[in-house]
C-alpha cells in the first residue's frame, strides 16, 4: 500500500526527474566521483573553497535523501540524516578554525 505524497514531494520529484535521468545515464562512477571531489575539496582546500564544497555536498546528499526517503526504512534513514548533519558540522568547524 502506498501513501499519497504531498504536492511538494510531487513537484520536487517532477523537477528532479531530468537531473536524475542524466545521472542515471552517466557513467556509474559519476556520482561517487562528484561526491569524492566535493568531500576532498571540503577537507583539504582553503576555507573559502572548502566550506562551499561541503555545503554543496550536504545539499546533494539531502536532495538524494529526500527523493529516496519513501523507499527507505529505519536505519538507512538515520544514516542519511547523520551524514548530512556531520558534513554541515564539519563545515561549521572549518569556519570556526579559520
Amino acid at each position: 500500500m502506498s501513501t499519497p505524497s504531498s504536492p511538494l514531494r510531487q513537484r520536487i520529484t517532477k523537477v528532479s526527474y531530468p537531473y536524475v535521468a542524466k545521472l542515471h545515464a552517466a557513467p556509474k562512477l559519476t556520482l561517487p566521483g562528484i561526491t569524492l571531489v566535493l568531500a576532498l575539496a571540503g577537507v583539504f582546500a582553503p576555507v573559502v573553497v572548502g566550506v562551499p564544497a561541503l555545503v554543496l555536498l550536504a545539499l546533494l546528499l539531502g536532495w538524494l535523501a529526500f527523493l529516496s526517503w519513501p523507499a527507505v526504512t529505519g536505519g538507512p534513514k538515520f544514516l542519511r540524516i547523520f551524514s548530512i548533519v556531520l558534513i554541515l558540522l564539519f563545515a561549521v568547524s572549518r569556519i570556526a578554525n579559520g
Side-chain angles (χ1 to χ4, degrees):
M1 176 190 278
S2 68
T3 57
S5 58
S6 70
L8 175 65
R9 174 169 293 286
Q10 291 174 354
R11 183 169 178 226
I12 291 174
T13 302
K14 183 178 179 181
V15 169
S16 297
Y17 180 79
Y19 303 105
V20 173
K22 284 181 184 177
L23 278 174
H24 184 70
K28 296 296 178 197
L29 293 178
T30 300
L31 187 57
I34 292 169
T35 303
L36 181 64
V37 167
L38 288 173
L40 290 174
V43 172
F44 295 112
V47 174
V48 178
V49 175
V51 171
L54 290 170
V55 171
L56 281 174
L57 179 59
L59 287 172
L60 174 65
L61 293 179
W63 172 62
L64 293 173
F66 180 84
L67 292 176
S68 65
W69 199 260
V72 179
T73 59
K77 283 185 178 183
F78 171 77
L79 288 175
R80 283 172 168 81
I81 293 171
F82 180 74
S83 64
I84 293 166
V85 169
L86 190 65
I87 290 166
L88 292 174
L89 287 174
F90 187 71
V92 169
S93 77
R94 291 279 326 255
I95 293 169
N97 294 328

